[in-house]
Amino acid sequence: MRKRLCWAVCVLAAVCMASPAVWAVKPASPQVSQKAKTNMMRDGAGQEPWWKNAVIYEVYPRSFQDSNGDGIGDLNGIRSRLGYLHWLGVNAIWLTPIYPSPQVDFGYDISNYNNIDSQYGTLADFSQLVSAARKQHIGVLMDLVLNHTSNQHPWFLESESSRTNPKRDWYVWRNGRKGPNGKLLPPNNWQSVFGGSSWQYDKTTGQFYYHKFYIQQPDLNWNNPQVRHAMYNVERFWIRRGVAGFRLDAITTLFEDPKLRNEKPMLGKDGKPIINAFGQVQLNDSLTNNLPQVHGVLRQLRQVADSYHRHILLIGETYLSSVNELRKMYGLHNDELQLPMDMQVGFINKLDVADFRARINEAETELHGDEPLFVFDNHDNYRWERYANAAGVKNPAERENVARLLATIVLASRDTALLYYGDEIGMVTTVPTKKSEVRDPVGIRGWPENKGRDGERTPMQWNSGPNAGFSSAGVKTWLPIPPSYKTVNVAVEKKDPNSLLNWYREMIALKHTNAALHDGQEIMLNTSDEHVLSWLRKTPEGKAVVVACNFTGQPETESFDLTSQGVKGTGLKTLMATPGQAQSQSLGAVHLAPYGVFVGEVK
Ligand code: GLC
């Protein structure tokens, strides 16, 4: 992960309430049997919640589909692509923020929580999207930004107007310190994730306000019951409009140390302080991130959701340092998040078999059977090709094999899988080449060390026509269309049975329909092997699938003995194999191409 998000890694007509059955796993796929369809559609009491073992797809609305020719994606654009998402097999889409916003942080600076930004559409468009998605058995998840608002939000405008304004205490205002020569200094050494102090001086009232992120994103004071009340009402507002749940943005950062103690520098292996991409000493953020008070808020958010329906999903953006911290996010009584994001697996960032094995195994064994949500890519980090780059893979076919391998880890594990738009076709990060082209403020501030997040937010590549089918011909799109669109696009890949897109689609179908791959236990195999990551998925009824991923650039042949796992049979029926790879018919010799994958049912 990049330095810029090291705060995260270091601690490492209003639609009525939807019946959960309508979000249940997609009904149609060529391989799906009638029995499986019936099972998938049942979602009554006692059935597994719709989000378990599901596939969630992150849509960056600005970049998915432009329907009105302004170069910016919008809600009607997303609606027009639901057929594709259904075909792919996704169960829910998470929309990054679409609320009215000055767009300093492209929507993560919200100025009105109860409406839609006119760039993206209207509330009526949103309702149409939700009902159209429901018809395709796709849930819509909103991004709920609770830590901060825009500095243009009426709450903040009031709060900053005077020290005695009733909303003053809705934000975190503190007095400064006197420096050596009488100069006024920020209250302490805390830093913004996006560089600089996290305190901003306000001349009018002579105090500083706290902002974990941009200056334009003042932090709310979650110790104030009125703030909580207002935000729980926002949650209610969108549940009543039919959302399937929420992704809670930066949820671990709601609270700060009330004593305002300084944070300690992080030290490198050489014992010296680490300098971050903004040229600052990196602090350990132990007093501004993951404070225990957040659990009380999570429980309340969950109670609000549960008061509507137990299937309203709460996902958390939880960059945490260990599986032990992650486990806490589910709540002692499973009363907090259903799916805190597991960033331990997807952000290893190098093809290291032992690391992957350890992290996946922890998710399987240390979460008390709760469901992990594996994430490899999102709008804040370089895309999947960072793995191919880290391994020095140059050959295009082998790079594509790396993409297949990563897709297999996220889709053939016992997890809910979170995909990022464009990953399924192998879109790569396209970073701006000139500072003048950068749109993400963090890239302007951090240039050239940190070029910002535009590279992973480029328009979706639908076809090889003008503007890659994202927008009409001749329109200047908000970020340029990457040159790769001529060959890396949905239309071309749909037609090719060996494409990455079809790999994703088939893996998703297996996740939905193959009993072992759907929810079978996950057991690591050949655990001292340093070249091949392999695991078994098995059900109590004896269905067993073996998955093997070659993490090297050489062909490998792997043999498995599953007798100690109580699995009968030594034959293999191929479910998925990297194109061009030798056939594998028995557990004694599973052949893997360079970065190749094999998925087979034990017979
Ligand atoms: C989260 C979002 C990121 C945003 C930040 C501040 O990390 O994913 O895009 O900039 O929160 O809201």
Side-chain angles (χ1 to χ4, degrees), residues 105 108 148 194 213 217 247 249 317 379-380 453 457:
D105 194 12
Y108 284 97
H148 46 268
F194 295 140
F213 298 91
Q217 293 170 305
R247 175 262 191 187
D249 179 66
E317 186 194 24
H379 62 284
D380 291 325
R453 299 166 291 180
R457 299 173 175 181

Side-chain angles (χ1 to χ4, degrees), residues 5 7-8 94 108 213 247-253 315-320 337 339-341 343 378-381:
L5 277 189
W7 67 278
W94 146 35
Y108 284 97
F213 298 91
R247 175 262 191 187
L248 307 177
D249 179 66
I251 192 66
T252 58
T253 65
I315 293 178
E317 186 194 24
T318 44
Y319 288 98
L320 295 165
L337 301 173
L339 292 176
M341 289 180 187
M343 311 294 206
N378 59 30
H379 62 284
D380 291 325
N381 294 283

Side-chain angles (χ1 to χ4, degrees), residues 146-264:
L146 300 173
N147 179 66
H148 46 268
T149 68
S150 160
N151 63 347
Q152 298 307 306
H153 194 292
W155 298 339
F156 187 74
L157 295 177
E158 278 195 49
S159 184
E160 70 172 354
S161 65
S162 84
R163 287 197 188 201
T164 55
N165 185 280
K167 291 229 164 37
R168 185 68 172 180
D169 188 46
W170 280 45
Y171 293 84
V172 184
W173 290 99
R174 295 288 181 273
N175 293 326
R177 289 173 290 153
K178 278 268 160 25
N181 37 21
K183 203 177 153 218
L184 192 62
L185 298 175
N188 61 20
N189 74 344
W190 296 350
Q191 292 170 356
S192 159
V193 169
F194 295 140
S197 166
S198 58
W199 295 99
Q200 176 68 13
Y201 185 63
D202 170 58
K203 272 199 220 123
T204 319
T205 59
Q207 282 191 308
F208 288 80
Y209 69 84
Y210 176 70
H211 58 94
K212 179 83 178 168
F213 298 91
Y214 290 124
I215 290 168
Q216 296 88 342
Q217 293 170 305
D219 270 48
L220 284 159
N221 172 16
W222 274 84
N223 291 305
N224 183 329
Q226 290 176 329
V227 167
R228 293 182 184 218
H229 182 73
M231 281 307 195
Y232 301 151
N233 276 342
V234 171
E235 187 186 2
R236 293 185 179 98
F237 180 90
W238 292 103
I239 293 176
R240 290 194 197 108
R241 274 165 179 74
V243 300
F246 302 90
R247 175 262 191 187
L248 307 177
D249 179 66
I251 192 66
T252 58
T253 65
L254 297 191
F255 292 91
E256 301 80 39
D257 174 40
K259 295 190 185 137
L260 301 190
R261 287 169 294 182
N262 280 336
E263 284 180 334
K264 300 219 162 62

Side-chain angles (χ1 to χ4, degrees), residues 377-390:
D377 284 321
N378 59 30
H379 62 284
D380 291 325
N381 294 283
Y382 283 157
R383 285 179 178 268
W384 66 273
E385 88 285 351
R386 65 190 188 274
Y387 280 94
N389 294 344

Side-chain angles (χ1 to χ4, degrees), residues 252-300:
T252 58
T253 65
L254 297 191
F255 292 91
E256 301 80 39
D257 174 40
K259 295 190 185 137
L260 301 190
R261 287 169 294 182
N262 280 336
E263 284 180 334
K264 300 219 162 62
M266 292 188 66
L267 303 181
K269 285 193 185 122
D270 57 3
K272 293 193 186 135
I274 297 174
I275 305 298
N276 67 21
F278 305 104
Q280 294 174 304
V281 168
Q282 182 65 45
L283 304 179
N284 67 8
D285 88 351
S286 60
L287 299 168
T288 54
N289 192 13
N290 201 18
L291 269 61
Q293 294 91 316
V294 76
H295 294 282
V297 174
L298 292 179
R299 284 192 288 275
Q300 290 180 328

Side-chain angles (χ1 to χ4, degrees), residues 468-480:
F470 162 73
S471 185
S472 341
V475 168
K476 186 170 167 13
T477 56
W478 83 281
L479 283 177

